[in-house]
Amino acid sequence: MPVSADLVQISIAREVTYGAPSTTNTDWHILPIVSEGVAANAETTLSNLMNPNRQVLDSILTNLTAEGNIDSEMVLCEAFEIILESAMAAEPGTPAPVVGEDPANIQDLDVGLLQKSFSIQKRFPDPVNEGQYLYQLVSGAVANTFGVVVSPAEAVTYSVGIMGKEFTSSTASVYAGDPVEPANSTVLRAPDSIDLQFGSVSGNPANAFDGETIASRCFGDFAFNINNNYRGI
């Protein structure tokens, strides 16, 4: 049955090994969301056997993956950083980000070649047993598409298209304890996005930026989109 979006909790954790979710609660970070549609994608085939009524005997489940979108206003928190690393296929830059402080402190990320996967756990109220929760776990998740929209006098919004390796349902969390709450819950506005940088890094020890830096106030509306074309995962 449908569940109200404000009752759903999404927590995210980096994966050291692709498809292997962490069982330590401090590795999991809550992601503020507006809406999400990550769901199971079942692949089936029909059996060649027939029953006495000359009907197909069984529909065989051959694979169960997950895919869908997460849409939200942009909050610079640890869970968002994990998604951004996967979208850019890169490790965090130097210095490390200062999560929960001035938005200008978000780190630089070059477009890389690393497959950065993460796990997603969705928690929502059990519609049958009051006070209890149900859980859905997506392991081996990657950011297949990622888009950001900046408009004057509006919140900065983003949408990420997720592809997952495995989808499982459970009545218990994959980790014991509570996930980490965001240190900062401030929603970015267009004026908070102080500059937009396009270009490449020179590679010198200072990690100097060789591209162009443009103040976001120069734009009316601005959007950028990434498509990693993850297929066959």
Side-chain angles (χ1 to χ4, degrees):
M1 62 180 293
V3 178
S4 175
D6 63 338
L7 300 178
V8 176
Q9 180 193 87
I10 296 289
S11 55
I12 294 180
R14 293 179 178 86
E15 293 180 347
V16 177
T17 302
Y18 175 63
S22 171
T23 56
T24 304
N25 68 306
T26 53
D27 291 337
W28 291 82
H29 301 270
I30 293 176
L31 177 70
I33 62 169
V34 172
S35 64
E36 62 82 29
V38 181
N41 182 26
E43 299 177 17
T44 62
T45 185
L46 294 178
S47 168
N48 290 317
L49 297 174
M50 302 185 74
N51 63 23
N53 296 323
R54 301 188 59 80
Q55 301 298 316
V56 174
L57 185 65
D58 194 12
S59 174
I60 304 168
L61 179 66
T62 59
N63 195 26
L64 187 63
T65 59
E67 60 184 43
N69 280 26
I70 294 176
D71 302 292
S72 184
E73 297 169 340
M74 187 178 290
V75 174
L76 298 185
C77 59
E78 186 70 21
F80 176 75
E81 298 286 348
I82 295 172
I83 290 176
L84 192 60
E85 290 170 19
S86 181
M88 299 294 285
E91 294 282 359
T94 303
V98 182
V99 176
E101 295 190 8
D102 193 293
N105 288 331
I106 190 169
Q107 83 276 21
D108 291 333
L109 281 175
D110 298 325
V111 176
L113 299 174
L114 301 174
Q115 180 178 290
K116 303 288 291 181
S117 65
F118 51 92
S119 301
I120 302 172
Q121 181 167 266
K122 185 192 314 185
R123 188 195 76 177
F124 52 92
D126 187 334
V128 176
N129 300 300
E130 186 176 355
Q132 298 186 30
Y133 294 98
L134 298 177
Y135 300 85
Q136 294 175 342
L137 176 67
V138 179
S139 59
V142 290
N144 184 48
T145 60
F146 182 82
V148 171
V149 176
V150 181
S151 299
E154 297 288 345
V156 178
T157 61
Y158 73 92
S159 177
V160 56
I162 303 294
M163 292 184 67
K165 176 186 177 184
E166 188 175 8
F167 180 98
T168 56
S169 299
S170 176
T171 56
S173 172
V174 71
Y175 53 86
D178 297 321
V180 180
E181 293 276 357
N184 172 46
S185 57
T186 301
V187 176
L188 286 191
R189 304 168 301 130
D192 297 324
S193 304
I194 296 172
D195 54 40
L196 301 165
Q197 297 181 339
F198 301 88
S200 61
V201 174
S202 64
N204 64 36
N207 203 33
F209 184 77
D210 289 338
E212 295 291 335
T213 299
I214 305 171
S216 64
R217 295 182 181 89
C218 294
F219 295 100
D221 294 327
F222 177 80
F224 74 88
N225 296 281
I226 298 170
N227 191 335
N228 286 323
N229 276 334
Y230 279 121
R231 289 175 288 188
I233 294 181

